[in-house]
Amino acid sequence: MLNVRCSMARPTVNRQNSALPPSGRLADRIVLITGGSRGIGLAIARACGGEGARVVLVARHRRALAQARAQISGEPLAVAADVTRPEQVAAVFRRVRQRYGRLDVLVNNAGVFTYKPFMRTTLADWRANLETNLTSIFFTTREALPLFARSRAPHLINILSVASREAFPNCAAYAASKFGALGLTRVLAAELRSKGIRVTAILPGSTDTRMIAAFGFPVDRSSLLQPDDVAQAVLAALVPPPRVTVEEIVLGPSKGAL
Ligand SMILES: NC(=O)c1ccc[n+]([C@@H]2O[C@H](COP(=O)([O-])OP(=O)(O)OC[C@H]3O[C@@H](n4cnc5c(N)ncnc54)[C@H](OP(=O)(O)O)[C@@H]3O)[C@@H](O)[C@H]2O)c1
């Protein structure tokens, strides 16, 4: 297990200064985050915005997106879309191309989690996990590549899970999607290296977000990772110069998995 340590000033939203040129370790990088309206995605968006990035948020529910947008520096773009729908994904990337002309970082973070014994896992559960956690990466990454071609430091970051490489009971649909997503990420890393596109997999353990409610049993939230911990791992991958690729980061609660 790799402990990620990097210090970061807590981001502050300063709308009065939003017209000033951004400063920070990600100044002016265009960063699109799926599932950016809450939980880990929102923490990543806040961290990137706090470092001067131009953030694009994607999630389905408009009200949550608007609330998230208000917490992020630098006039983020928020686009309501379902990442399981290819035509909606294409529309998101058209907006990015119109507004910025390029994309520097895609963070595939949107996800769902089903916690059920295999025999109680429905076809709808199965499809929701596979389509949201795996197939969406196929859709978004295909749309991102032409915009990456216009970037000086293109970077693909996939938020996976410790369940991408370790089997936990009652997680059949989730594990199938996340194992698949790790395989896809590794293929992309090998294939896109020659194009100068960095690819990073982040594999968090249990994190204190709404997703944890799926367990259906009481959880000591104080023992879990916090969304900001995962966001700092993302910064640790993004900040090094283009000659450095952080390939995979595994981070888990120090007290162990749930
Ligand atoms: N929490 C954990 O313990 C944990 C551990 C390891 C890995 N992860 C991974 O971390 C990522 C984020 O999870 P989280 O814990 O932050 O979950 P969360 O709090 O439930 O947030 C999920 C985000 O994904 C969005 N989303 C879900 N389905 C979507 C769809 N079809 N289209 C667009 N957006 C969609 C949600 O917004 P809308 O509902 O509005 O669309 C929300 O913004 C996931 O990939 C998850 O598998 C989580």
Side-chain angles (χ1 to χ4, degrees):
M1 184 176 302
L2 175 66
N3 277 330
V4 177
R5 288 169 195 269
C6 59
S7 63
M8 185 189 73
R10 189 159 285 280
T12 53
V13 178
N14 188 345
R15 296 248 169 238
Q16 287 154 310
N17 289 338
S18 61
L20 294 173
S23 60
R25 293 178 295 173
L26 302 177
D28 252 344
R29 277 210 247 177
I30 315 300
V31 180
L32 187 154
I33 301 154
T34 69
S37 63
R38 62 172 191 260
I40 291 170
L42 175 56
I44 295 168
R46 286 170 50 124
C48 291
E51 290 288 353
R54 307 282 185 193
V55 172
V56 182
L57 300 174
V58 178
R60 291 168 299 181
H61 296 97
R62 290 175 195 280
R63 188 186 294 180
L65 267 178
Q67 287 168 352
R69 186 175 180 276
Q71 300 175 45
I72 297 161
S73 306
E75 301 293 336
L77 177 64
V79 189
D82 183 336
V83 293
T84 69
R85 304 281 297 274
E87 70 286 357
Q88 294 188 23
V89 171
V92 169
F93 284 84
R94 272 199 303 276
R95 289 277 300 279
V96 174
R97 193 181 62 225
Q98 283 161 4
R99 178 141 166 185
Y100 296 113
R102 69 173 205 278
L103 181 67
D104 299 309
V105 180
L106 167 63
V107 183
N108 282 310
N109 164 80
V112 295
F113 172 52
T114 298
Y115 184 80
K116 284 181 183 174
F118 175 71
M119 284 303 287
R120 284 192 19 228
T121 301
T122 64
L123 181 57
D125 295 330
W126 181 264
R127 285 186 169 146
N129 281 264
L130 269 289
E131 289 174 10
T132 314
N133 302 346
L134 175 57
T135 309
S136 71
I137 301 177
F138 175 75
F139 295 144
T140 55
T141 306
R142 283 180 4 146
E143 296 290 343
L145 290 181
L147 294 180
F148 275 176
R150 301 171 177 197
S151 169
R152 277 181 299 166
H155 200 146
L156 173 66
I157 298 202
N158 289 341
I159 307 300
L160 307 176
S161 170
V162 290
S164 292
R165 58 176 207 162
E166 201 178 327
F168 297 96
N170 304 315
C171 295
Y174 187 71
S177 70
K178 291 290 186 179
F179 266 71
L182 179 58
L184 173 60
T185 306
R186 287 179 175 171
V187 170
L188 289 170
E191 203 170 313
L192 299 179
R193 183 173 291 126
S194 63
K195 299 184 193 307
I197 300 171
R198 289 183 286 176
V199 177
T200 302
I202 308 276
L203 286 71
S206 303
T207 308
D208 185 10
T209 71
R210 196 190 293 186
M211 193 170 269
I212 289 300
F215 282 119
F217 55 77
V219 170
D220 173 12
R221 289 177 173 258
S222 69
S223 68
L224 305 181
L225 295 175
Q226 292 301 310
D228 278 347
D229 301 328
V230 184
Q232 293 208 19
V234 170
L235 285 186
L238 283 177
V239 163
R243 66 176 178 276
V244 180
T245 296
V246 178
E247 294 184 357
E248 292 181 7
I249 296 178
V250 182
L251 67 165
S254 299
K255 289 183 179 171
L258 280 179

